[in-house]
Coordinates of all heavy atoms in Angstrom, one line a residue:
M127 N -4.3 -18.2 17.0 CA -5.3 -17.7 17.8 C -5.3 -18.5 19.1 O -5.3 -19.7 19.2 CB -6.7 -17.8 17.2 CG -7.8 -17.4 18.1 SD -9.4 -17.3 17.3 CE -9.5 -19.0 16.6
A128 N -5.3 -17.8 20.2 CA -5.2 -18.4 21.5 C -6.6 -18.8 22.0 O -7.6 -18.2 21.6 CB -4.6 -17.4 22.5
A129 N -6.7 -19.9 22.8 CA -7.9 -20.4 23.3 C -8.7 -19.3 24.1 O -9.9 -19.4 24.2 CB -7.7 -21.6 24.2
D130 N -8.0 -18.4 24.7 CA -8.6 -17.3 25.5 C -9.5 -16.4 24.6 O -10.2 -15.6 25.1 CB -7.6 -16.5 26.3 CG -6.6 -15.8 25.5 OD1 -6.4 -16.1 24.3 OD2 -5.9 -15.0 26.1
R131 N -9.4 -16.5 23.3 CA -10.2 -15.7 22.4 C -11.6 -16.3 22.1 O -12.4 -15.6 21.5 CB -9.5 -15.4 21.1 CG -8.3 -14.4 21.3 CD -8.0 -13.7 20.1 NE -6.8 -12.8 20.4 CZ -6.1 -12.2 19.5 NH1 -6.5 -12.4 18.2 NH2 -5.1 -11.4 19.8
V132 N -11.8 -17.5 22.5 CA -13.1 -18.1 22.3 C -14.1 -17.3 23.1 O -13.9 -16.9 24.3 CB -13.2 -19.6 22.8 CG1 -14.6 -20.1 22.9 CG2 -12.3 -20.4 21.9
G133 N -15.2 -16.9 22.5 CA -16.2 -16.0 23.1 C -16.0 -14.6 22.7 O -16.9 -13.8 22.9
S134 N -14.9 -14.3 22.0 CA -14.7 -12.9 21.6 C -15.4 -12.7 20.2 O -16.1 -13.6 19.7 CB -13.2 -12.6 21.4 OG -12.6 -13.4 20.5
F135 N -15.3 -11.5 19.7 CA -16.1 -11.1 18.5 C -15.1 -10.8 17.4 O -14.1 -10.0 17.6 CB -16.9 -9.8 18.9 CG -17.8 -9.4 17.8 CD1 -19.0 -10.2 17.5 CD2 -17.6 -8.3 17.0 CE1 -19.9 -9.8 16.6 CE2 -18.5 -7.9 16.1 CZ -19.6 -8.7 15.8
R136 N -15.3 -11.3 16.2 CA -14.4 -11.1 15.1 C -15.1 -10.4 14.0 O -16.3 -10.7 13.7 CB -13.9 -12.5 14.6 CG -13.0 -12.3 13.3 CD -12.2 -13.5 13.0 NE -11.2 -13.7 14.0 CZ -10.4 -14.7 14.1 NH1 -10.6 -15.8 13.3 NH2 -9.4 -14.8 15.0
V137 N -14.4 -9.5 13.3 CA -14.9 -8.8 12.2 C -14.0 -9.2 11.0 O -12.8 -9.1 11.1 CB -14.9 -7.3 12.4 CG1 -15.4 -6.5 11.2 CG2 -15.8 -6.9 13.6
L138 N -14.6 -9.5 9.9 CA -13.8 -9.8 8.7 C -14.3 -8.9 7.6 O -15.5 -9.0 7.1 CB -13.9 -11.3 8.3 CG -13.3 -11.7 6.9 CD1 -11.8 -11.5 7.0 CD2 -13.6 -13.1 6.6
L139 N -13.4 -8.0 7.1 CA -13.8 -7.1 6.0 C -13.1 -7.5 4.8 O -11.8 -7.7 4.8 CB -13.4 -5.7 6.4 CG -13.6 -4.6 5.4 CD1 -15.0 -4.4 5.0 CD2 -13.0 -3.3 5.8
T140 N -13.8 -7.8 3.7 CA -13.2 -8.1 2.4 C -13.2 -6.8 1.6 O -14.3 -6.1 1.5 CB -14.0 -9.1 1.7 OG1 -14.1 -10.3 2.5 CG2 -13.4 -9.5 0.3
V141 N -12.1 -6.4 1.1 CA -11.9 -5.1 0.4 C -11.4 -5.3 -1.0 O -10.4 -6.0 -1.2 CB -11.0 -4.2 1.1 CG1 -10.9 -2.8 0.4 CG2 -11.4 -4.0 2.6
Q142 N -12.1 -4.8 -2.0 CA -11.7 -4.8 -3.4 C -11.0 -3.5 -3.6 O -11.7 -2.4 -3.5 CB -12.9 -5.0 -4.3 CG -12.5 -5.0 -5.8 CD -11.7 -6.2 -6.2 OE1 -12.0 -7.3 -5.9 NE2 -10.6 -6.0 -7.0
V143 N -9.7 -3.5 -4.0 CA -9.0 -2.3 -4.2 C -8.8 -2.0 -5.7 O -8.7 -2.9 -6.5 CB -7.6 -2.4 -3.5 CG1 -6.7 -1.2 -3.8 CG2 -7.7 -2.6 -2.0
K144 N -8.8 -0.7 -6.0 CA -8.7 -0.3 -7.4 C -7.3 -0.8 -7.9 O -6.3 -0.6 -7.2 CB -8.8 1.2 -7.6 CG -10.1 1.7 -7.3 CD -10.2 3.2 -7.3 CE -11.5 3.8 -7.0 NZ -11.5 5.2 -6.9
P145 N -7.2 -1.5 -9.0 CA -6.0 -2.0 -9.6 C -4.9 -0.9 -9.7 O -5.3 0.2 -10.2 CB -6.4 -2.6 -10.9 CG -7.8 -3.0 -10.7 CD -8.4 -1.9 -9.9
G146 N -3.7 -1.2 -9.3 CA -2.6 -0.2 -9.4 C -2.5 0.6 -8.1 O -1.5 1.3 -8.0
L147 N -3.5 0.6 -7.2 CA -3.4 1.4 -6.0 C -3.1 0.5 -4.7 O -3.3 1.0 -3.6 CB -4.7 2.2 -5.8 CG -5.0 3.2 -6.9 CD1 -6.3 3.9 -6.6 CD2 -3.9 4.2 -7.1
E148 N -2.7 -0.7 -4.9 CA -2.6 -1.6 -3.8 C -1.5 -1.1 -2.8 O -1.8 -1.1 -1.6 CB -2.2 -3.0 -4.3 CG -3.3 -3.7 -5.1 CD -3.2 -3.4 -6.6 OE1 -2.4 -2.5 -7.0 OE2 -4.0 -4.0 -7.3
A149 N -0.4 -0.7 -3.2 CA 0.7 -0.2 -2.3 C 0.2 1.0 -1.5 O 0.5 1.1 -0.3 CB 2.0 0.1 -3.1
E150 N -0.5 1.9 -2.2 CA -1.0 3.1 -1.5 C -2.0 2.7 -0.4 O -2.0 3.2 0.7 CB -1.5 4.1 -2.5 CG -0.5 4.7 -3.3 CD -1.1 5.6 -4.4 OE1 -1.9 6.5 -4.0 OE2 -0.8 5.4 -5.6
F151 N -2.9 1.8 -0.8 CA -3.9 1.3 0.1 C -3.3 0.7 1.4 O -3.6 1.0 2.5 CB -4.8 0.2 -0.6 CG -5.7 -0.5 0.4 CD1 -6.9 0.1 0.8 CD2 -5.4 -1.8 0.8 CE1 -7.7 -0.5 1.7 CE2 -6.2 -2.4 1.7 CZ -7.4 -1.8 2.2
E152 N -2.3 -0.2 1.1 CA -1.6 -0.8 2.3 C -0.9 0.2 3.2 O -1.0 0.1 4.4 CB -0.5 -1.8 1.8 CG -1.1 -3.0 1.1 CD 0.0 -3.9 0.5 OE1 1.2 -3.8 0.9 OE2 -0.3 -4.7 -0.4
K153 N -0.4 1.3 2.6 CA 0.3 2.3 3.4 C -0.7 3.1 4.2 O -0.6 3.3 5.4 CB 1.0 3.3 2.5 CG 1.7 4.4 3.2 CD 2.4 5.4 2.3 CE 2.9 6.6 3.1 NZ 3.2 7.7 2.3
V154 N -1.8 3.5 3.6 CA -2.9 4.2 4.3 C -3.5 3.4 5.4 O -3.8 3.8 6.5 CB -3.9 4.8 3.4 CG1 -5.1 5.5 4.1 CG2 -3.3 5.8 2.4
W155 N -3.7 2.1 5.1 CA -4.3 1.2 6.1 C -3.4 1.1 7.3 O -3.8 1.1 8.4 CB -4.5 -0.2 5.5 CG -5.1 -1.2 6.5 CD1 -6.4 -1.4 6.7 CD2 -4.4 -2.0 7.4 NE1 -6.6 -2.3 7.8 CE2 -5.3 -2.7 8.2 CE3 -3.0 -2.2 7.7 CZ2 -5.0 -3.6 9.2 CZ3 -2.7 -3.1 8.7 CH2 -3.6 -3.8 9.4
A156 N -2.1 0.9 7.1 CA -1.1 0.8 8.2 C -1.1 2.0 9.0 O -1.0 1.9 10.3 CB 0.3 0.5 7.6
E157 N -1.2 3.2 8.4 CA -1.2 4.4 9.2 C -2.4 4.5 10.1 O -2.3 5.0 11.2 CB -1.2 5.6 8.2 CG 0.2 5.8 7.5 CD 0.1 6.8 6.4 OE1 -1.0 7.3 6.0 OE2 1.2 7.0 5.8
G158 N -3.5 4.0 9.6 CA -4.8 4.1 10.4 C -5.0 3.0 11.4 O -5.8 3.0 12.3
S159 N -4.2 1.9 11.2 CA -4.4 0.7 12.1 C -4.1 1.1 13.6 O -4.6 0.4 14.4 CB -3.6 -0.5 11.6 OG -2.2 -0.3 11.8
K160 N -3.3 2.1 13.8 CA -3.0 2.5 15.2 C -4.3 2.9 15.9 O -4.4 2.7 17.1 CB -2.0 3.6 15.2 CG -0.6 3.2 14.6 CD 0.3 4.4 14.5 CE 1.4 4.0 13.6 NZ 1.8 5.0 12.6
E161 N -5.2 3.5 15.2 CA -6.5 3.9 15.8 C -7.2 2.6 16.3 O -7.9 2.7 17.3 CB -7.3 4.6 14.7 CG -8.7 5.1 15.2 CD -8.6 6.2 16.2 OE1 -7.6 7.0 16.2 OE2 -9.6 6.3 17.0
V162 N -7.1 1.5 15.6 CA -7.8 0.3 16.0 C -7.1 -0.3 17.2 O -7.7 -0.6 18.2 CB -7.9 -0.7 14.8 CG1 -8.5 -2.0 15.3 CG2 -8.6 -0.1 13.6
T163 N -5.8 -0.5 17.0 CA -5.0 -1.3 18.1 C -4.9 -0.5 19.4 O -4.6 -1.1 20.4 CB -3.7 -1.7 17.5 OG1 -2.9 -0.5 17.1 CG2 -3.8 -2.7 16.4
S164 N -5.2 0.8 19.3 CA -5.1 1.6 20.6 C -6.4 1.4 21.4 O -6.4 1.8 22.6 CB -4.9 3.1 20.3 OG -6.1 3.6 19.7
Q165 N -7.4 0.8 20.9 CA -8.6 0.5 21.6 C -8.4 -0.6 22.6 O -7.9 -1.7 22.3 CB -9.8 0.2 20.7 CG -10.0 1.2 19.6 CD -10.4 2.6 20.1 OE1 -11.3 2.7 21.0 NE2 -9.7 3.6 19.7
S166 N -8.8 -0.4 23.9 CA -8.6 -1.4 24.9 C -9.4 -2.7 24.6 O -9.0 -3.8 25.0 CB -9.0 -0.8 26.3 OG -10.4 -0.5 26.3
A167 N -10.5 -2.6 23.9 CA -11.3 -3.8 23.6 C -10.8 -4.5 22.4 O -11.3 -5.6 22.1 CB -12.8 -3.4 23.4
N168 N -9.8 -4.0 21.7 CA -9.3 -4.6 20.5 C -8.3 -5.7 20.9 O -7.3 -5.4 21.6 CB -8.7 -3.6 19.5 CG -8.2 -4.3 18.2 OD1 -7.0 -4.5 18.1 ND2 -9.1 -4.6 17.3
L169 N -8.4 -6.9 20.4 CA -7.5 -8.0 20.7 C -6.5 -8.3 19.6 O -5.6 -9.1 19.8 CB -8.4 -9.3 21.0 CG -9.4 -9.1 22.1 CD1 -10.3 -10.4 22.1 CD2 -8.7 -8.9 23.4
G170 N -6.7 -7.7 18.4 CA -5.8 -7.9 17.3 C -6.4 -7.4 16.0 O -7.6 -7.3 15.9
H171 N -5.5 -7.1 15.1 CA -5.9 -6.4 13.8 C -4.9 -6.8 12.8 O -3.7 -6.6 13.0 CB -6.0 -4.9 14.1 CG -6.5 -4.1 13.0 ND1 -7.7 -4.2 12.5 CD2 -5.9 -3.1 12.3 CE1 -7.9 -3.2 11.5 NE2 -6.8 -2.6 11.4
S172 N -5.4 -7.3 11.6 CA -4.4 -7.6 10.6 C -5.0 -7.4 9.2 O -6.2 -7.3 9.0 CB -4.0 -9.1 10.7 OG -5.1 -9.9 10.5
L173 N -4.0 -7.3 8.2 CA -4.3 -7.1 6.8 C -3.7 -8.2 6.0 O -2.5 -8.5 6.2 CB -3.8 -5.7 6.3 CG -4.0 -5.4 4.8 CD1 -5.5 -5.2 4.5 CD2 -3.3 -4.1 4.4
A174 N -4.4 -8.8 5.1 CA -3.9 -9.9 4.3 C -4.3 -9.6 2.8 O -5.4 -9.1 2.6 CB -4.4 -11.2 4.8
R175 N -3.5 -10.0 1.9 CA -3.8 -9.9 0.5 C -4.2 -11.3 0.0 O -3.5 -12.3 0.3 CB -2.6 -9.3 -0.3 CG -2.9 -9.0 -1.7 CD -1.7 -8.4 -2.4 NE -0.5 -9.2 -2.4 CZ 0.6 -8.9 -1.9 NH1 0.9 -7.7 -1.5 NH2 1.6 -9.7 -1.9
S176 N -5.2 -11.3 -0.8 CA -5.6 -12.6 -1.4 C -4.6 -13.2 -2.3 O -3.9 -12.6 -3.0 CB -6.9 -12.4 -2.2 OG -7.3 -13.6 -2.9
A177 N -4.4 -14.6 -2.1 CA -3.5 -15.3 -3.0 C -4.2 -15.7 -4.3 O -3.5 -16.2 -5.2 CB -3.0 -16.5 -2.2
R178 N -5.5 -15.5 -4.4 CA -6.2 -16.0 -5.6 C -6.8 -14.9 -6.4 O -7.0 -15.0 -7.6 CB -7.3 -16.9 -5.2 CG -6.8 -18.2 -4.6 CD -7.9 -19.2 -4.4 NE -7.4 -20.5 -4.0 CZ -8.1 -21.5 -4.0 NH1 -9.4 -21.5 -4.2 NH2 -7.6 -22.7 -3.7
E179 N -7.2 -13.8 -5.8 CA -7.9 -12.7 -6.5 C -7.0 -11.4 -6.5 O -6.6 -11.0 -5.4 CB -9.2 -12.4 -5.8 CG -10.2 -13.6 -5.8 CD -11.4 -13.3 -5.0 OE1 -12.4 -12.8 -5.6 OE2 -11.4 -13.6 -3.8
E180 N -6.9 -10.8 -7.6 CA -6.1 -9.6 -7.8 C -6.8 -8.5 -7.0 O -8.0 -8.3 -7.0 CB -6.0 -9.2 -9.2 CG -5.2 -10.1 -10.1 CD -3.7 -10.0 -9.7 OE1 -3.2 -8.9 -9.4 OE2 -3.1 -11.1 -9.7
S181 N -6.1 -7.7 -6.3 CA -6.5 -6.5 -5.6 C -7.6 -6.7 -4.5 O -8.3 -5.8 -4.2 CB -7.0 -5.5 -6.7 OG -6.1 -5.2 -7.7
V182 N -7.6 -7.9 -4.0 CA -8.5 -8.2 -2.9 C -7.8 -8.4 -1.6 O -6.7 -9.1 -1.6 CB -9.4 -9.5 -3.2 CG1 -10.2 -9.9 -2.0 CG2 -10.3 -9.3 -4.4
Y183 N -8.3 -7.7 -0.6 CA -7.6 -7.8 0.8 C -8.7 -8.2 1.8 O -9.9 -8.0 1.6 CB -7.1 -6.4 1.1 CG -5.9 -6.0 0.4 CD1 -6.0 -5.4 -0.9 CD2 -4.6 -6.1 0.9 CE1 -4.9 -5.0 -1.6 CE2 -3.5 -5.8 0.2 CZ -3.6 -5.2 -1.0 OH -2.5 -4.8 -1.7
Y184 N -8.1 -8.7 2.9 CA -9.0 -9.1 4.0 C -8.4 -8.4 5.3 O -7.2 -8.5 5.6 CB -8.9 -10.6 4.2 CG -9.4 -11.4 3.0 CD1 -8.4 -11.9 2.1 CD2 -10.7 -11.5 2.7 CE1 -8.8 -12.6 1.0 CE2 -11.1 -12.2 1.5 CZ -10.2 -12.7 0.7 OH -10.6 -13.4 -0.4
V185 N -9.3 -7.8 6.0 CA -9.0 -7.1 7.3 C -9.7 -8.0 8.3 O -10.9 -8.1 8.3 CB -9.4 -5.7 7.3 CG1 -9.1 -5.1 8.7 CG2 -8.8 -4.9 6.2
T186 N -8.9 -8.5 9.3 CA -9.5 -9.2 10.4 C -9.2 -8.4 11.7 O -8.1 -7.9 11.9 CB -8.8 -10.6 10.5 OG1 -8.9 -11.3 9.3 CG2 -9.4 -11.4 11.6
S187 N -10.2 -8.3 12.5 CA -10.1 -7.6 13.7 C -10.9 -8.3 14.8 O -12.1 -8.6 14.6 CB -10.7 -6.1 13.5 OG -10.5 -5.3 14.6
D188 N -10.2 -8.6 15.9 CA -10.9 -9.3 17.0 C -11.1 -8.3 18.2 O -10.2 -7.5 18.5 CB -10.0 -10.4 17.5 CG -9.9 -11.6 16.6 OD1 -10.8 -11.6 15.6 OD2 -9.0 -12.4 16.7
W189 N -12.3 -8.5 18.8 CA -12.7 -7.6 19.9 C -13.2 -8.4 21.1 O -13.6 -9.5 20.9 CB -13.9 -6.7 19.3 CG -13.4 -5.8 18.2 CD1 -13.3 -6.2 16.9 CD2 -12.9 -4.5 18.3 NE1 -12.7 -5.1 16.2 CE2 -12.5 -4.1 17.0 CE3 -12.8 -3.6 19.4 CZ2 -12.0 -2.8 16.8 CZ3 -12.3 -2.3 19.2 CH2 -11.9 -1.9 17.9
T190 N -13.2 -7.7 22.2 CA -13.7 -8.4 23.4 C -15.2 -8.8 23.3 O -15.6 -9.8 23.8 CB -13.5 -7.6 24.7 OG1 -14.1 -6.3 24.5 CG2 -12.0 -7.4 25.0
D191 N -15.9 -7.9 22.6 CA -17.4 -8.1 22.4 C -17.9 -7.3 21.3 O -17.2 -6.4 20.8 CB -18.1 -7.8 23.7 CG -17.8 -6.4 24.2 OD1 -18.4 -5.5 23.7 OD2 -17.0 -6.3 25.1
K192 N -19.1 -7.6 20.8 CA -19.7 -7.0 19.7 C -20.0 -5.5 20.0 O -19.8 -4.6 19.2 CB -21.1 -7.7 19.4 CG -21.8 -7.1 18.2 CD -23.1 -7.8 18.0 CE -23.9 -7.2 16.8 NZ -25.1 -8.0 16.6
E193 N -20.5 -5.2 21.2 CA -20.8 -3.8 21.6 C -19.6 -2.9 21.5 O -19.7 -1.8 21.0 CB -21.4 -3.8 23.0 CG -22.7 -4.5 23.1 CD -22.7 -6.0 23.1 OE1 -21.6 -6.6 23.4 OE2 -23.7 -6.6 22.7
S194 N -18.4 -3.4 21.9 CA -17.2 -2.6 21.8 C -16.8 -2.3 20.4 O -16.4 -1.2 20.0 CB -16.1 -3.3 22.5 OG -16.3 -3.4 23.9
F195 N -17.0 -3.3 19.5 CA -16.7 -3.1 18.1 C -17.7 -2.1 17.5 O -17.2 -1.1 16.8 CB -16.8 -4.4 17.3 CG -16.8 -4.1 15.8 CD1 -15.7 -3.6 15.2 CD2 -18.0 -4.2 15.1 CE1 -15.7 -3.3 13.8 CE2 -18.0 -3.9 13.7 CZ -16.9 -3.4 13.1
L196 N -18.9 -2.2 17.8 CA -19.9 -1.3 17.2 C -19.7 0.1 17.7 O -19.9 1.1 16.9 CB -21.3 -1.8 17.5 CG -21.8 -3.1 16.9 CD1 -23.1 -3.5 17.3 CD2 -21.7 -3.0 15.3
A197 N -19.3 0.3 18.9 CA -19.0 1.7 19.4 C -17.8 2.2 18.7 O -17.8 3.4 18.3 CB -18.8 1.6 20.9
F198 N -16.8 1.4 18.5 CA -15.6 1.9 17.7 C -16.0 2.2 16.3 O -15.5 3.2 15.7 CB -14.5 0.8 17.8 CG -13.4 1.2 16.9 CD1 -12.5 2.2 17.2 CD2 -13.2 0.5 15.7 CE1 -11.5 2.6 16.3 CE2 -12.1 0.8 14.9 CZ -11.3 1.9 15.2
E199 N -16.8 1.3 15.7 CA -17.1 1.5 14.3 C -17.7 2.9 14.0 O -17.5 3.4 12.9 CB -18.0 0.4 13.8 CG -18.3 0.4 12.3 CD -19.3 -0.7 11.9 OE1 -20.2 -1.0 12.7 OE2 -19.1 -1.2 10.8
S200 N -18.5 3.4 14.9 CA -19.1 4.7 14.7 C -18.4 5.8 15.3 O -18.8 7.0 15.2 CB -20.6 4.6 15.2 OG -20.5 4.4 16.6
S201 N -17.2 5.6 15.8 CA -16.4 6.7 16.4 C -15.8 7.6 15.4 O -15.5 7.2 14.3 CB -15.3 6.1 17.3 OG -14.3 5.5 16.4
P202 N -15.6 8.9 15.7 CA -15.0 9.8 14.8 C -13.7 9.4 14.2 O -13.4 9.6 13.0 CB -14.9 11.1 15.6 CG -15.9 11.0 16.7 CD -16.0 9.5 17.0
G203 N -12.8 8.8 15.0 CA -11.5 8.4 14.6 C -11.6 7.3 13.5 O -10.9 7.3 12.5
H204 N -12.5 6.3 13.7 CA -12.7 5.3 12.7 C -13.3 5.8 11.5 O -12.9 5.4 10.3 CB -13.5 4.1 13.3 CG -13.6 2.9 12.4 ND1 -12.4 2.3 11.9 CD2 -14.6 2.3 11.8 CE1 -12.8 1.3 11.1 NE2 -14.1 1.3 11.0
V205 N -14.3 6.6 11.6 CA -15.0 7.2 10.4 C -14.0 8.0 9.6 O -13.9 7.8 8.3 CB -16.2 8.1 10.8 CG1 -16.7 8.9 9.6 CG2 -17.3 7.2 11.5
A206 N -13.1 8.7 10.2 CA -12.1 9.5 9.5 C -11.1 8.5 8.7 O -10.7 8.8 7.6 CB -11.3 10.4 10.4
H207 N -10.7 7.4 9.4 CA -9.8 6.4 8.7 C -10.5 5.8 7.5 O -9.9 5.6 6.5 CB -9.4 5.4 9.7 CG -8.6 4.3 9.2 ND1 -7.4 4.6 8.5 CD2 -8.7 3.0 9.1 CE1 -6.8 3.4 8.1 NE2 -7.6 2.4 8.5
R208 N -11.8 5.4 7.7 CA -12.5 4.8 6.6 C -12.6 5.8 5.4 O -12.5 5.4 4.2 CB -13.9 4.4 7.0 CG -14.0 3.2 7.8 CD -15.4 2.6 7.9 NE -16.5 3.5 7.9 CZ -17.3 3.8 9.0 NH1 -17.1 3.1 10.1 NH2 -18.2 4.6 8.9
E209 N -12.8 7.1 5.7 CA -12.8 8.1 4.6 C -11.5 8.2 3.9 O -11.5 8.4 2.7 CB -13.2 9.4 5.2 CG -14.7 9.5 5.6 CD -15.1 10.8 6.3 OE1 -14.2 11.6 6.6 OE2 -16.3 10.9 6.7
K210 N -10.4 8.0 4.6 CA -9.1 8.0 3.9 C -8.9 6.8 3.0 O -8.2 6.9 2.0 CB -8.0 8.1 5.0 CG -7.9 9.4 5.7 CD -6.8 9.3 6.7 CE -6.7 10.6 7.6 NZ -5.8 10.5 8.7
L211 N -9.5 5.7 3.3 CA -9.4 4.5 2.5 C -10.3 4.4 1.4 O -10.1 3.7 0.4 CB -9.6 3.2 3.4 CG -8.5 3.0 4.4 CD1 -8.9 1.9 5.4 CD2 -7.2 2.6 3.8
H212 N -11.4 5.2 1.4 CA -12.5 5.1 0.4 C -12.0 5.3 -1.0 O -12.4 4.6 -1.9 CB -13.6 6.1 0.8 CG -14.7 6.0 -0.2 ND1 -15.6 5.0 -0.1 CD2 -15.1 6.8 -1.2 CE1 -16.5 5.1 -1.1 NE2 -16.3 6.2 -1.7
P213 N -11.1 6.3 -1.3 CA -10.6 6.5 -2.7 C -9.9 5.3 -3.3 O -9.8 5.2 -4.5 CB -9.6 7.7 -2.6 CG -10.0 8.3 -1.3 CD -10.5 7.3 -0.4
Y214 N -9.5 4.3 -2.5 CA -8.7 3.2 -3.0 C -9.7 2.0 -3.3 O -9.3 1.0 -3.9 CB -7.7 2.8 -2.0 CG -6.7 3.9 -1.7 CD1 -6.8 4.7 -0.6 CD2 -5.7 4.2 -2.6 CE1 -6.0 5.7 -0.3 CE2 -4.8 5.2 -2.4 CZ -5.0 6.0 -1.2 OH -4.1 7.0 -1.0
R215 N -10.9 2.0 -2.8 CA -11.8 0.9 -2.8 C -12.8 0.9 -3.9 O -13.2 2.0 -4.3 CB -12.6 0.9 -1.5 CG -11.7 0.7 -0.3 CD -12.6 0.7 1.0 NE -13.6 -0.4 0.9 CZ -14.5 -0.6 1.9 NH1 -14.4 0.1 3.0 NH2 -15.4 -1.5 1.7
T216 N -13.1 -0.3 -4.4 CA -14.2 -0.4 -5.4 C -15.4 -1.1 -4.9 O -16.4 -1.1 -5.4 CB -13.7 -1.1 -6.7 OG1 -13.3 -2.4 -6.4 CG2 -12.6 -0.3 -7.4
G217 N -15.2 -1.8 -3.7 CA -16.2 -2.5 -3.1 C -15.7 -3.3 -1.9 O -14.5 -3.3 -1.6
G218 N -16.6 -4.0 -1.3 CA -16.2 -4.8 -0.1 C -17.4 -5.4 0.6 O -18.6 -5.2 0.2
A219 N -17.2 -6.2 1.6 CA -18.2 -6.9 2.4 C -17.7 -7.0 3.8 O -16.5 -7.2 4.0 CB -18.5 -8.2 1.8
L220 N -18.6 -6.9 4.7 CA -18.3 -7.0 6.1 C -19.0 -8.2 6.7 O -20.3 -8.3 6.5 CB -18.8 -5.7 6.9 CG -18.5 -5.7 8.4 CD1 -17.0 -5.6 8.6 CD2 -19.2 -4.5 9.0
A221 N -18.3 -9.1 7.4 CA -18.9 -10.2 8.1 C -18.5 -10.0 9.6 O -17.4 -9.7 10.0 CB -18.3 -11.5 7.6
M222 N -19.5 -10.3 10.5 CA -19.3 -10.3 11.9 C -19.6 -11.6 12.5 O -20.6 -12.3 12.1 CB -20.2 -9.2 12.6 CG -19.8 -7.8 12.1 SD -20.8 -6.6 13.0 CE -21.7 -5.8 11.7
M223 N -18.8 -12.1 13.5 CA -19.0 -13.4 14.0 C -18.5 -13.5 15.5 O -17.7 -12.7 15.9 CB -18.3 -14.4 13.1 CG -16.8 -14.2 13.0 SD -16.0 -14.8 11.5 CE -16.5 -13.5 10.3
H224 N -19.0 -14.5 16.2 CA -18.6 -14.8 17.5 C -17.7 -16.1 17.4 O -18.1 -17.0 16.8 CB -19.8 -15.1 18.4 CG -20.7 -14.0 18.6 ND1 -20.5 -12.9 19.5 CD2 -21.9 -13.7 18.0 CE1 -21.4 -12.1 19.4 NE2 -22.3 -12.5 18.5
L225 N -16.5 -16.0 18.0 CA -15.6 -17.2 18.0 C -16.1 -18.2 19.0 O -16.4 -17.9 20.1 CB -14.2 -16.8 18.4 CG -13.5 -15.8 17.4 CD1 -12.1 -15.5 17.9 CD2 -13.5 -16.4 16.0
V226 N -16.3 -19.5 18.4 CA -16.9 -20.5 19.2 C -15.9 -21.7 19.4 O -16.2 -22.6 20.2 CB -18.2 -21.1 18.6 CG1 -19.2 -20.0 18.7 CG2 -18.0 -21.6 17.2
G227 N -14.8 -21.7 18.7 CA -13.8 -22.8 18.9 C -12.5 -22.5 18.3 O -12.4 -21.6 17.5
V228 N -11.5 -23.2 18.8 CA -10.1 -23.0 18.2 C -9.5 -24.4 18.0 O -9.9 -25.4 18.6 CB -9.2 -22.2 19.2 CG1 -9.7 -20.8 19.3 CG2 -9.1 -22.9 20.5
A229 N -8.6 -24.5 17.1 CA -8.0 -25.8 16.8 C -6.5 -25.7 17.1 O -5.9 -24.6 17.1 CB -8.2 -26.1 15.4

């Protein structure tokens, strides 16, 4: 993470995927990630698989500010992408934060 991201807004989504559907989830996520990265306020977007918990993923997305993320979150394109991912999910949690420091 670059120092120029201090003051930006980060979203961390924890996703529990139905066992056996991980590869399909990853494919559908990748197809829809273009919708996120095409946003001018998006600073980066990634998907990671847990090294400790089966079928758990983490989506990290950095934005210039909270308002831009919230506007995107309710946009028709993002809603459609979430609907495509819904059949693969059993649960999840969303955390939102402001970046205050880098190491």
Side-chain angles (χ1 to χ4, degrees):
M127 177 174 52
D130 62 347
R131 290 206 182 168
V132 170
S134 62
F135 188 72
R136 176 167 288 171
V137 178
L138 174 63
L139 176 63
T140 303
V141 182
Q142 179 70 46
V143 174
K144 294 176 183 175
L147 298 181
E148 294 88 353
E150 292 175 53
F151 170 79
E152 291 176 20
K153 179 183 175 200
V154 173
W155 181 89
E157 291 168 355
S159 70
K160 296 172 197 138
E161 180 69 26
V162 178
T163 58
S164 70
Q165 304 299 308
S166 61
N168 181 260
L169 303 173
H171 183 63
S172 64
L173 177 67
R175 187 176 60 234
S176 175
R178 292 187 172 191
E179 298 175 89
E180 292 291 321
S181 306
V182 172
Y183 287 83
Y184 303 99
V185 178
T186 304
S187 187
D188 289 345
W189 297 83
T190 55
D191 55 79
K192 181 180 179 180
E193 294 73 25
S194 296
F195 167 72
L196 293 175
F198 171 72
E199 184 181 37
S200 61
S201 70
H204 184 60
V205 170
H207 177 56
R208 282 196 327 248
E209 289 174 357
K210 289 178 184 174
L211 291 170
H212 186 72
Y214 303 98
R215 297 178 57 178
T216 60
L220 180 69
M222 294 186 242
M223 60 207 78
H224 297 280
L225 295 180
V226 296
V228 297

